[in-house]
Every structure is written in structure tokens, then in C-alpha cells.
Amino acid sequence: MGKKIAILLFSLFAAGVLVVSSDKPVPQNPQIRIEGMVKQPLTLTMDKLMKMQSVPARLNEFSLDKDYHGAFNYMGVPLRALLELAVIRKPDTANYNKLSDLVIVVKNGEGKKAVLSWGEIFYRNPSEVILAFNYDPIFPHKSCDGCHDPETYGVWLNPLKRKVGLPKLVVTGDRFDGRCLENVSNIEVVDLRPDIKCVKKKPLFSEKFSLTGAVKTPGEFATLASYRHFETLSMQVGDGRGYHGWKVFDGVPLVDILKDAGVAPDPGSVLMISAPDGYRSSVSCGELFL
């Protein structure tokens, strides 16, 4: 009898997290708290943040509705460096001791949240996700009189004149800025630890998988024949066993399955994907939709 692989969607907007009133004034010298599944919780001020080793990042900012929010050069500290300073650690009682299923929840004083997976912070270049403490708008150095009227072009220049709330989460890999929170106040490392039964067997396989959790239409899938298929070339390089060659995988976009299940591009949601042997990994909706 084959075992199932499960995909669970967690909405961290609806997880009983405290929402702060949006009319609360932003402090002049804000503090950032790093807590959760860490050995050394940290409280950082902007002054401390500015004294740490920083990196530059450029971000062209668009909403999912394709509204233009400006183009900026940012300077900030990689989120990975801050999390390593806090020393991420699971308790000895954890039923899964790897860190691949952890998620990072970033909040600001207005109650907005953004979720990142472990992989997009620790398996990518550190400069792709930073906590910015400074910014400069990128004003065009040529006139647009020849292609647009002043009224149209003036609307595009206005976002460059806005005040950006710092510190700001900057995710350069996102095409849309739904997770680029301003006035960040809290960063929490969360272990969702769903109760998943483990079955050790060789060879490892799954004849079907289930999609459950915060979805409008949960389902169980034994075939994906009705979906569009793609081939993708993967270079397998792991931290544990290193390089293991090139492989071609055939499959369907996970986004297509999620859209059919009624999953929206929510920057505060995350998927937990698990295999029969208990191995699991988090994937944020931001990675998939943004």
C-alpha cells in the first residue's frame, strides 16, 4: 500500500497573532525584536543595525495590482545574519530536528505580516533578503517629454518622493512588493510542527498526495494528468552530501494546483510539504505567487 505525501497550508494571518492598531504612532527610534525559536532573543535599535555589516540592494516596487511604488536603492543588514546572531535552535523534544520546516514571520506596527521560508533565506544569497536602515530614490536622469505628457509622467515621479518607513524588509527576489514591509518591529522564528506520522521505507515513494489546511477546496490527488506539464533541469547541490549531478524532472506548477484549490497570493501564508518518511519543508506563498 502506497503512502501519501501531504501539503498543508497555514495562514498566519488567522493564527491568533496580535494585531496592533494602525493609528499607533511610529516611534522615532524604533526597536526590532527577534524571538521565537531562537537561543538568544535580540532587541535591536536602528543605531545598532547601522553599525552592523551592511549590503546594498535595489528594488523596483510594484503591487500585485501593478501599481508603481517607486524604485529605490537600499542599504541594510541581511536577515540571515540577524537570525544567525540570535542562534536558531529547535528544542530537543522536536519530532523533526532539521530546520527546513521553519518559517520566519515579520511584523510591523500596523499589524501587517510577511512570511518567509527557511530555504529562501538560508539557501540563497544573503543580500536577497535584508532589513534596510537607509534608502535613496532612483530619479531618472533624462526628461520624458518626448514619450509622455507631463501629467502622466508626474504621477510616476510622485512615489519617488514618498517617505519610506524604516527599518524595511526588502525581498529583492519578489517581482511584487507585498512582503516588503515598512516600519518592521518584530521578527519571529516559528516551528509549525504538524503532527505527521513517519514511515521509513526503501525505496521512498508516494502514490498520491493530499492538500489540506487553510484552502477553500481541500483535495487528494492520485494523478496530475489534467494539468499542464513542464520539464525542469535541476543541479542537485546539497549541504549534506554535496553535488549529485544534473537531473531532469517532469511535473506541474504547484501554483496551478493551489489556485484551483482557492489559495490566494497571501504574503502571510506558508505551505508545509511533507513526505512519508517525515522529511518536510516550508514554502512561502510569497515564493510561489510574488
Side-chain angles (χ1 to χ4, degrees):
M1 177 67 99
K3 300 298 180 179
K4 293 184 292 182
I5 185 170
I7 303 176
L8 294 90
L9 179 71
F10 295 85
S11 176
L12 295 183
F13 273 109
V17 182
L18 176 66
V19 178
V20 182
S21 173
S22 60
D23 57 3
K24 182 179 179 180
V26 178
Q28 295 299 313
N29 189 19
Q31 292 185 337
I32 309 99
R33 180 71 175 170
I34 301 178
E35 57 189 359
M37 199 66 56
V38 296
K39 183 180 179 181
Q40 301 174 168
L42 301 176
T43 300
L44 300 173
T45 63
M46 287 288 285
D47 292 338
K48 290 181 180 178
L49 200 64
M50 294 172 67
K51 292 177 181 179
M52 301 178 68
Q53 186 171 358
S54 58
V55 295
R58 172 173 174 146
L59 190 65
N60 301 323
E61 304 186 24
F62 297 89
S63 70
L64 272 171
D65 297 327
K66 299 181 176 62
D67 291 330
Y68 176 56
H69 296 162
F72 297 88
N73 284 321
Y74 289 96
M75 185 65 70
V77 180
L79 182 55
R80 173 174 175 169
L82 297 175
L83 294 174
E84 288 177 339
L85 193 62
V87 188
I88 296 177
R89 177 174 293 181
K90 286 186 174 183
D92 296 335
T93 56
N95 60 359
Y96 180 68
N97 58 14
K98 295 182 183 293
L99 303 179
S100 59
D101 62 337
L102 294 180
V103 298
I104 292 83
V105 183
V106 182
K107 312 171 192 176
N108 68 7
E110 298 175 355
K112 295 180 179 179
K113 303 174 185 68
V115 175
L116 298 105
S117 71
W118 172 266
E120 62 182 320
I121 295 176
F122 285 88
Y123 295 150
R124 296 185 184 175
N125 292 327
S127 59
E128 292 185 21
V129 183
I130 69 171
L131 196 62
F133 55 75
N134 195 12
Y135 70 95
D136 288 303
I138 304 172
F139 284 97
H141 58 273
K142 291 185 178 180
S143 171
C144 196
D145 295 339
C147 55
H148 293 93
D149 60 80
E151 183 177 351
T152 299
Y153 194 54
V155 173
W156 293 344
L157 289 177
N158 287 336
L160 299 173
K161 303 172 185 177
R162 69 183 178 89
K163 183 178 180 181
V164 177
L166 299 174
K168 177 173 179 173
L169 177 68
V170 174
V171 186
T172 61
D174 286 357
R175 176 174 293 182
F176 303 102
D177 63 4
R179 294 194 294 177
C180 296
L181 292 187
E182 299 183 7
N183 301 313
V184 170
S185 59
N186 186 270
I187 299 170
E188 184 179 6
V189 181
V190 179
D191 184 1
L192 299 175
R193 282 191 295 177
D195 184 15
I196 299 175
K197 295 181 179 179
C198 304
V199 179
K200 302 289 185 179
K201 61 179 181 178
K202 292 184 179 181
L204 180 66
F205 77 101
S206 174
E207 66 178 13
K208 55 186 176 180
F209 71 92
S210 58
L211 176 61
T212 62
V215 296
K216 291 183 179 179
T217 311
E220 193 168 81
F221 299 80
T223 177
L224 297 173
S226 62
Y227 288 89
R228 54 179 179 149
H229 279 235
F230 288 96
E231 279 191 354
T232 184
L233 181 64
S234 175
M235 298 166 286
Q236 292 192 317
V237 184
D239 289 349
R241 298 183 180 180
Y243 176 63
H244 263 58
W246 295 58
K247 293 185 179 180
V248 177
F249 292 93
D250 177 80
V252 307
L254 180 56
V255 168
D256 290 358
I257 300 173
L258 296 177
K259 286 180 177 179
D260 280 356
V263 177
D266 182 353
S269 293
V270 63
L271 287 88
M272 186 67 65
I273 304 176
S274 67
D277 63 350
Y279 198 103
R280 51 187 183 258
S281 178
S282 62
V283 180
S284 70
C285 282
E287 287 180 89
L288 297 171
F289 290 100
L290 300 183

